[in-house]
Amino acid sequence: MRIVTKRQSWKSSRLLGGIDFEREIKAAMRIDRVFKVGGCRAIPYERKIIEMHPLMGSDILNKISREINNDLISSLEVAENIILHHHEKWDGTGYPHRLKGEEIPLEARIVAIVDVFDALTSRRPYKDSWSVERALSFINEQKGKYFRPIHRDVFLLLFDEKAAQKKGCDTVRSTGI
């Protein structure tokens, strides 16, 4: 089972302005992944069940929070916000509560863009992995729809910065997207 990649935690931490929520993100996403099965080919009632996974994850977190060591999750509020709201969309069409814009907690908005990129570029039982270029194009198209425009802009900037660092470049190149 895939939890949170180094790529996801690095990008999420950078998007949060250097605040290190890596532990909270990893712990929250472990709970989220428990219920991620099925996918795009689900029939309507299966889709409803899939869309309940944030609620189930939040319920699990709340039930076990009294028993877990705070070294695992130092901020239950941050973890719950990530678990519960990372499928909400900027335009209000997400789930489970159809939150819109600033109603969506910051940490959930940031994890959402990283989670989408990871989901698109990863092979799943119901789909092949997308190329990085195709995933970046999708993220670009979702500016103002799925993602807050500034989060999309920063994600692409940080993606280019990390790619440039990997290549040993001193300057950030533009994807042209």
Side-chain angles (χ1 to χ4, degrees):
M1 176 188 297
R2 209 162 125 119
I3 306 299
V4 172
T5 64
K6 287 182 183 177
R7 169 176 67 189
Q8 281 178 297
S9 62
W10 178 84
K11 287 190 184 319
S12 295
S13 176
R14 291 292 302 273
L15 286 168
L16 284 166
I19 298 170
D20 186 7
F21 282 112
E22 183 175 352
R23 285 185 347 185
E24 285 80 3
I25 291 168
K26 285 181 180 179
M29 296 311 287
R30 280 186 191 102
I31 294 169
D32 172 63
R33 297 290 187 211
V34 169
F35 295 101
K36 271 214 176 141
V37 294
C40 297
R41 295 185 184 144
I43 58 179
Y45 80 89
E46 291 172 327
R47 190 88 185 118
K48 287 288 184 196
I49 292 169
I50 291 168
E51 289 180 2
M52 289 177 58
H53 86 269
L55 298 169
M56 290 184 264
S58 175
D59 188 51
I60 289 171
L61 178 66
N62 287 317
K63 286 179 180 174
I64 66 172
S65 65
R66 294 177 294 269
E67 301 172 18
I68 61 175
N69 182 341
N70 276 352
D71 290 338
L72 175 64
I73 302 176
S74 61
S75 173
L76 290 174
E77 182 180 2
V78 169
E80 184 170 24
N81 283 342
I82 291 169
I83 293 167
L84 196 53
H85 302 299
H86 72 283
H87 287 292
E88 300 289 359
K89 295 182 180 180
W90 187 250
D91 65 4
T93 63
Y95 63 88
H97 297 117
R98 296 199 175 283
L99 299 180
K100 184 176 184 177
E102 297 291 334
E103 296 172 344
I104 306 165
L106 174 63
E107 55 271 22
R109 285 183 264 145
I110 291 169
V111 169
I113 195 167
V114 176
D115 186 54
V116 166
F117 179 80
D118 184 63
L120 293 175
T121 58
S122 300
R123 188 180 181 287
R124 300 289 167 95
Y126 52 88
K127 70 166 204 63
D128 289 329
S129 61
W130 288 16
S131 69
V132 168
E133 293 77 20
R134 184 177 176 197
L136 291 174
S137 179
F138 176 82
I139 287 172
N140 187 55
E141 292 166 9
Q142 296 303 306
K143 180 180 182 175
K145 299 173 192 167
Y146 200 123
F147 310 114
R148 181 177 182 190
I150 189 70
H151 293 162
R152 193 277 311 193
D153 296 344
V154 171
F155 178 84
L156 293 177
L157 178 66
L158 294 175
F159 188 89
D160 284 346
E161 182 180 302
K162 188 69 172 175
Q165 288 173 357
K166 254 184 163 173
K167 292 180 180 180
C169 301
D170 291 330
T171 59
V172 176
R173 65 175 175 77
S174 171
T175 59
I177 294 176

